[in-house]
Every structure is written in C-alpha cells, then in structure tokens.
Amino acid sequence: MSAHLGRRLRKGATSGAVMAAAVAALAASQAPEMIPPPADNAGGDRAIGAGDTAPPSGDGSVTGDSPYYTVLPPLNTPNKPGTSTNLPVITGPAEAGIPASVLSAYKRAEQSIRSTDPGCNLPWQLLAGIGKVESGQARGGKVDANGTTLKPILGPVLNGVGFANISDTDRGAYDGDSTHDRAVGPMQFIPSTWATWGQDANSDGKRDPNNIYDAAQAAGLYLCANDRNLALKADLDRAILSYNRSREYLNTVTSWFEYYKRGTHQVPDGTGVFPVDRSDDRGRGNRPTPPFSPFPTSPDPKPSDSGAPKPKPTRPGEPSKVTPPPTKPTTPTKPPVTPPTKPPTVPPAVRVDRLTTVSTGQLTATTESVFAKAPTVAALDASGAPVAGVTVRFEITGTTDARFSGGATTVTVTSGSAGIAAAPALRAGEKTGAFTVRAVVVGNSAKAAEFTATVTERQADALARVAGDPLSATTGTAFTQPVQAKATLKGAVAAGVLVEAKVVVSATATEESTEGPYFKNAAGDTVRTLVLKTDANGLISLPELLAGDKAGEYVLILTARGGVSTEIKLTVTAPAATPTPTPTSDPSPSGTGSPEASPSPSA
C-alpha cells in the first residue's frame, strides 16, 4: 500500500481524489505532515503564475530550481516521538540511516549556527531532509575522510530546456560547464549562489561545494537568512521554498524532516539508501520535462458513434431536432501562485571575503606598559569593498600575561562604515616574549588575520647611587647608612626597571662573595644577590645590609636591565681591641706594707 501511494505521489498525480486518498493514508499511519500539491499540477510541480510558459529563471533559490529526488519516507516511522535519535547502527528502517560523515556535517552545522544565530533555531534534521532530496545524502555517503564526495555531484545543464536558463557564472570552475551553470555538490548549490554563501566549515583553506561540511554550513546559513525563526511553521516553509520554489519540493522536504525528527541512526559512509526517482523523471528515463501550461485543456471532441446522441426520426416536412448532450457548468480553477521569493539578505559575516591587517609595523611594548598600537583589521568583500556591521573577535593566544582593557583575553568589536575593526588597548604584563593576537569573523571562522606581539623588559641607560655616606660597618653589625639608586632612560625616570644587587670581593669579580656582607631574604636565609624593581620615581631602596663576620674590603655592584651599573665600596672592620688591666698588691693587715710582721726586738 505504502509503495503504491508513494509511487503515485512521486509521479505528480493530477487527480485530486488520488492525492486526498494518499494524504489520508499517510495521516492514518502517523506519517509526517504533508502539504498536498495543487490538483491541477499536471506534468510538473513548479509554483508559477498565470501567463508563465516556462519554468522560473532560478533567481533567488539555491539550486536554480534544479530537479530533486521525490521519493517519500516509508509509512512506518523509525521510532516513536520522544525517544532517542541516536539509535544503534543496526536499529531502525534502512531509510532512517544517515551516513556517518554526512550526519556529522549536519550536526556540526547546527551547533555552529546555533552559537552565532540562536534565534534561527536551525535543526539538523532540516538539513538532512534537504540533503536527502537533493543528493540522497551525498549518494549514500560516498565521501572521503574529509567529507568531499568521491565524484562531483552535478545537476542537469540549466539551459532553459525543461529547467531554468542560467548562463555560466563560474567559468566552469565548479560545474565544468563554461556555457551554462549546473547545481553542484551534496546540497546542490548553483555556482552563483555558492559565490555568496560558500563556507569553509572543515578549515581546509577552501570553500568546496562538493564537501559535505562546507555545503551543510552554507545551506544552514542560507535557510536562516532574513532573520528567520525556523521554529515557526511560516518561516520554515519560506526557508524551504527559498531553496527550491516548488510546492511538491516543500512537501517532500517537510516529510523527510518530520521523519528524521522521529528518529534516525548512523550507518557507515557509502552504505546509505540512494533514491532513484527524480522530479524530472516522469516516466521518460530522466529526460527533461518540457515547459507546461498551468491551464491544461482537453483535446477537441471528435465525432464518434459511441456515446454521442443520435437525432430522432421526424415526420416529413418537420425540422430535425437534435438533443444536445447534457453538460455541467465548470468553474475554471486558477492555479496556486507562490508569492515571489525575495532574495535573502546576506548577513555581513557571509559577505566578508577576507580580513586585512591595518596595523603597520610590529606590536611591541615593554613589561607592564600599554602597546602603542592596537590590533586593527578591515573586513572586505570579494570586490575589495568594505563590509560594515561585521562582528570581529580578537583573541590573545600563547604564553603571556598581556591583556586587553579590563583584563580580558577575548573581546568582540563591530566594524564601522569603512569596514575597520580595532581592538581595545592591549597592555603587557610582567612576562617577556612573543605571543599572537588572532582576529576572526564571528559566524565565518575561515576569515581570520593574525598579529605577532612582543614584550621586552624595561631598560635604563643610567644608574647612580643617591647621595649618601661611605658604607662601613664592623663585623657582626649592620650598615647603618641607607642605600638608594636611581635609574633613568634618556634623562627621564625609568620606572619598572629590574636592578640586580650583588656583593662581590672586588670590582672585577663576577661571582658573588661567599663571605662578608649579606642580606636576609623573606625566609630569613642569607643571600648576597637580590633583584629589585625601580618604583614610579625610578628608585630602588636596598633592605638592611649586614656586615658579616669577616673584616675586609668588598664591593656592592648594582646592575640595571640595559647593562648599566654602578659600584659601591663596602668596608668591614674588626672591632677595636679592649686593653687588659694591670694587677695591684693588697696592703698588709698591720698597715706597714709588709706581708709579714717584723720580729720583736726581744726575739
């Protein structure tokens, strides 16, 4: 039953009764929503107006209204609504299977466009529906590892014979025809439309309509044009009709869209189901359908003995009477007229052909200072004209602590009327070295420009001790005189310059001393080398300097970045010797000064 109905629908049935029965059957089996084509659409499906005698020119559509595959999804849906759409490879009807690379391209396009244009609400199943009817999912997924079709997919020559008449616009670069255009690739872009909407979604450096990733991204952007919200039925229908201006095309794509929304599964590349019935195959072996009139008429009736009323016998002299055949008044039916499709408004991001760097010279700055120049780019179209209203994202990459104003590593800027977009002020941090600032068009990541920025240390060309007394101390004590030095560059204060202070045994020594004067670090350890930074006035102030335990002459060398230095002599002396006291005799008890008493005279 389903195959019979599908075949009748695909052949463009002219009977309103047949169509109504088919739609009723589909509805009864929970098939996707259908929009029945007009009942007077004999011999074709173009939505043209009264008075037209040939198919439309193809202007304002992606495919130039080229033929498409008219096979409809099976009546049994792949899964029930609300269940998983990531079914195993072996699960579900074959028609619900989408080749792996093709499915990946659709989902990647949805994710990318939802991040840049969330209001469009692009579903990947819509891209799958269009890809099904345009190329049978890239001929069943016959693509290489990069997503490029193994052979070019080309529509018929658009020479006006059964199709639109579109003269060559690409010199045969995409379609191999330098006389007329042909629809190209898995999403069937005509070259003139690809020139505007083509994308490089797989970042291989080229926009290729034969690549499923590039083509799916371009198709998604096209469907979202003119601020469409594809969650709305009216906008969804307009988007599909802008792709191919045919009511039967709308019905077919919508059927596959709803079918894929109910469930699908991934199959290996090259194993997808490839349809055979095409809209230009009306039982004549894929020969083009000739132009048709929107008002089909019946041929003139011929005399016949069968079914035609015969005159009754009359009496002689009476005029013969002929009873005319009964007729029913018919009301002419006007064919439906599809409103002309307004060419989509191309978003600024899509119009950009390249980003050109405007900043001249290298971006350089010293540590903790603002770069004199800001990264600046110009957004240009293919003709070199500026594109205004383009959102450009500037991003700092690499090992650096440089930041934009406010401490950000990423900022976005909109190009002005001259296409110029300049990043905010860029400030260097404490780290030296090179890093990259990358500018990219939001929504068109293939268009990018890069800047190399370099941070160098601040330097001084003069360094001198601020006036003070000679430095001397005795062992075991501290130098009491303060030590300050001032750095300058070309006579101006040199702030933020690193200065090394090192205690050595002589002015010619290069290694720090192992004894003598020393400093204490934050942990309380003995050190004889310190690195300080000049303040806003270009000054450094040394912490307490201890004399140590060994007397002698030492040198404190101060060296600033830039190579300038100054020397300060350190004198460490031993403490003065303490005199030894001379011992004295104690007086005798008798007070005679003699240690012993004199003998008595009597003795």
Side-chain angles (χ1 to χ4, degrees):
M1 175 66 177
S2 62
H4 174 70
L5 289 176
R7 185 161 55 251
R8 293 297 299 272
L9 286 172
R10 289 193 297 270
K11 296 301 182 181
T14 62
S15 169
V18 172
M19 180 58 66
V23 173
L26 289 172
S29 60
Q30 295 185 350
E33 178 185 0
M34 292 284 295
I35 301 176
D40 63 348
N41 190 14
D45 66 335
R46 297 287 187 266
I48 62 177
D52 290 341
T53 58
S57 67
D59 293 339
S61 72
V62 168
T63 67
D65 296 334
S66 293
Y68 52 90
Y69 293 101
T70 58
V71 64
L72 294 171
L75 295 179
N76 55 318
T77 56
N79 205 3
K80 294 181 179 180
T83 56
S84 172
T85 59
N86 296 312
L87 304 178
V89 172
I90 60 174
T91 302
E95 286 289 353
I98 299 178
S101 293
V102 179
L103 182 60
S104 172
Y106 296 151
K107 290 185 176 182
R108 182 186 295 185
E110 178 198 61
Q111 183 179 13
S112 172
I113 294 172
R114 281 184 181 268
S115 67
T116 58
D117 186 9
C120 174
N121 293 302
L122 172 71
W124 67 262
Q125 292 91 342
L126 176 59
L127 296 175
I130 291 175
K132 179 69 173 181
V133 304
E134 293 295 349
S135 67
Q137 310 298 19
R139 290 177 174 159
K142 293 182 178 180
V143 297
D144 62 19
N146 293 323
T148 303
T149 56
L150 301 180
K151 294 181 180 180
I153 300 176
L154 299 175
V157 177
L158 298 176
N159 57 6
V161 181
F163 311 112
N165 188 350
I166 304 179
S167 298
D168 174 65
T169 59
D170 66 331
R171 299 182 180 179
Y174 293 121
D175 55 16
D177 192 327
S178 58
T179 303
H180 293 90
D181 273 347
R182 302 173 71 176
V184 181
M187 303 303 280
Q188 288 289 278
F189 277 85
I190 55 175
S192 58
T193 308
W194 183 258
T196 299
W197 294 89
Q199 299 293 303
D200 177 17
N202 64 346
S203 301
D204 63 355
K206 58 183 178 181
R207 298 181 294 173
D208 185 0
N210 288 298
N211 182 276
I212 185 60
Y213 291 98
D214 294 357
Q217 179 82 5
L221 290 171
Y222 185 94
L223 294 167
C224 288
N226 294 328
D227 297 324
R228 294 192 187 105
N229 178 4
L230 301 183
L232 303 177
K233 185 69 168 71
D235 278 4
L236 176 66
D237 288 354
R238 277 192 287 268
I240 298 173
L241 285 172
S242 76
Y243 213 93
N244 189 314
R245 299 173 301 176
S246 157
R247 281 287 167 181
E248 186 178 355
Y249 181 87
L250 172 63
N251 294 337
T252 308
V253 170
T254 302
S255 297
W256 282 108
F257 170 48
E258 295 293 341
Y259 182 77
Y260 287 138
K261 284 201 313 183
R262 293 176 182 270
T264 185
H265 59 272
Q266 176 180 298
V267 299
D269 287 345
T271 64
V273 176
F274 183 50
V276 293
D277 288 340
R278 218 167 61 171
S279 61
D280 60 336
D281 179 11
R282 303 295 180 182
R284 294 183 302 279
N286 285 338
R287 287 178 295 170
T289 302
F292 63 93
S293 167
F295 297 101
T297 57
S298 301
D300 294 335
K302 295 182 180 180
S304 172
D305 291 337
S306 59
K310 298 181 179 179
K312 295 181 180 179
T314 59
R315 298 179 181 177
E318 290 184 356
S320 299
K321 296 182 180 180
V322 178
T323 304
T327 59
K328 291 183 179 181
T330 58
T331 302
T333 303
K334 292 183 179 181
V337 178
T338 300
T341 303
K342 183 179 179 181
T345 302
V346 181
V350 176
R351 292 170 51 203
V352 176
D353 181 71
R354 62 187 183 275
L355 281 182
T356 301
T357 58
V358 175
S359 302
T360 57
Q362 292 187 343
L363 297 176
T364 59
T366 57
T367 53
E368 299 183 298
S369 66
V370 177
F371 283 78
K373 298 177 181 178
T376 306
V377 295
L380 306 176
D381 63 16
S383 67
V387 182
V390 176
T391 302
V392 178
R393 181 173 63 246
F394 292 92
E395 182 177 5
I396 298 173
T397 62
T399 304
T400 182
D401 54 358
R403 296 291 184 268
F404 292 114
S405 299
T409 58
T410 301
V411 294
T412 55
V413 180
T414 303
S415 64
S417 58
I420 302 295
L426 181 63
R427 184 179 182 83
E430 294 183 351
K431 292 183 179 180
T432 60
F435 62 94
T436 299
V437 178
R438 189 169 189 264
V440 63
V441 175
V442 176
N444 192 350
S445 59
K447 310 306 176 187
E450 291 187 348
F451 301 85
T452 298
T454 305
V455 179
T456 59
E457 287 185 326
R458 293 192 182 191
Q459 298 184 351
D461 57 12
L463 181 67
R465 182 190 174 192
V466 177
D469 297 331
L471 295 179
S472 62
T474 58
T475 56
T477 66
F479 291 87
T480 59
Q481 304 92 330
V483 181
Q484 280 190 320
K486 185 174 184 178
T488 57
L489 178 64
K490 297 180 180 180
V493 168
V497 177
L498 297 179
V499 178
E500 179 187 74
K502 181 189 295 186
V503 177
V504 296
V505 296
S506 69
T508 58
T510 58
E511 298 297 328
E512 67 179 29
S513 175
T514 59
E515 53 191 1
Y518 62 91
F519 302 100
K520 289 282 189 180
N521 63 14
D525 301 324
T526 297
V527 295
R528 291 185 170 87
T529 300
L530 290 177
V531 177
L532 306 172
K533 182 187 294 185
T534 59
D535 61 16
N537 298 315
L539 295 173
I540 60 166
S541 297
L542 270 67
E544 183 180 47
L545 180 60
L546 303 174
D549 297 329
K550 186 174 181 180
E553 297 290 335
Y554 301 90
V555 177
L556 176 63
I557 299 180
L558 303 179
T559 305
R561 295 293 189 265
V564 295
S565 63
T566 188
E567 301 170 4
I568 302 174
K569 185 178 179 181
L570 303 176
T571 302
V572 178
T573 60
T578 303
T580 303
T582 303
T584 58
S585 300
D586 292 334
S588 63
S590 61
T592 60
S594 172
E596 295 181 357
S598 299
S600 100
S602 61

